């Protein structure tokens, strides 16, 4: 990963998510009262208003819900990577994340594609790749 790419700045509850990502873990929260899985870290459950949220670890397996192909760099540092694909992934544990998709030709991306998360050497954010690429390795 290029060193001139912007680095996310974690604030509030999301700091624990980024800390887990630096350790190569895809963390998420589950409510201890109602079982809801918020789509991003929070202090209060958006379903039942409980403060009994606890961290769990995702296996990183999911299905592409939606995607877009970027033909123009969205930020400085990504110019050499265009075109690149951004995907919304519905993870098996019941939450959705936005990430980039690697090891998949932009013309091969479809809604419903089975993907698996992985972390690169920087391990700041999760990336995804098609499951068939994971199984072939």
């Amino acid at each position: 990963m290029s060193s001139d790419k912007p680095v996310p700045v974690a604030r509030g509850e999301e700091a624990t998510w980024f800390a887990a990502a630096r350790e190569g873990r895809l963390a998420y929260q589950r409510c201890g009262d109602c079982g809801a899985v918020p789509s991003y870290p929070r202090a209060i459950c958006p379903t039942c208003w409980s403060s009994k949220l606890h961290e769990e670890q995702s296996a990183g397996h999911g299905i592409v819900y939606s995607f877009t192909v970027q033909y123009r760099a969205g930020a400085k540092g990504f110019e050499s990577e265009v075109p690149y694909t951004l995907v919304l992934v519905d993870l098996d544990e019941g939450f959705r994340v936005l990430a980039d998709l690697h090891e998949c030709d932009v013309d091969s991306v479809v809604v419903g594609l089975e993907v698996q998360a992985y972390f690169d050497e920087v391990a700041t954010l999760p990336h995804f790749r098609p499951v068939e690429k994971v199984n072939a390795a």
Side-chain angles (χ1 to χ4, degrees):
M1 191 179 241
S2 173
S3 63
D4 61 343
K5 288 184 180 173
V7 177
V9 177
R11 302 174 309 259
E13 290 83 15
E14 67 190 23
T16 59
W17 191 86
F18 282 105
R22 282 191 299 277
E23 296 170 0
R25 298 183 298 113
L26 186 54
Y28 68 99
Q29 292 177 314
R30 184 176 304 278
C31 178
D33 283 339
C34 74
V37 178
S39 60
Y40 59 88
R42 301 171 185 228
I44 303 293
C45 175
T47 303
C48 73
W49 297 92
S50 170
S51 61
K52 295 180 183 173
L53 292 166
H54 60 274
E55 184 179 292
E56 296 188 10
Q57 184 171 329
S58 171
H61 179 268
I63 303 294
V64 171
Y65 172 81
S66 185
F67 68 93
T68 185
V69 178
Q70 298 294 113
Y71 291 96
R72 188 172 66 185
K76 184 176 172 22
F78 292 90
E79 297 88 354
S80 65
E81 296 188 22
V82 293
Y84 58 90
T85 305
L86 298 174
V87 290
L88 279 174
V89 176
D90 283 341
L91 287 132
D92 293 348
E93 294 83 6
F95 68 105
R96 184 176 289 161
V97 297
L98 173 66
D100 55 350
L101 180 67
H102 291 202
E103 300 179 32
C104 188
D105 184 84
V106 295
D107 295 325
S108 301
V109 183
V110 294
V111 169
L113 180 67
E114 193 175 1
V115 293
Q116 180 67 44
Y118 75 95
F119 293 84
D120 63 17
E121 66 280 355
V122 176
T124 300
L125 297 170
H127 309 281
F128 285 87
R129 60 180 151 224
V131 165
E132 70 254 9
K133 301 283 185 176
V134 175
N135 293 336

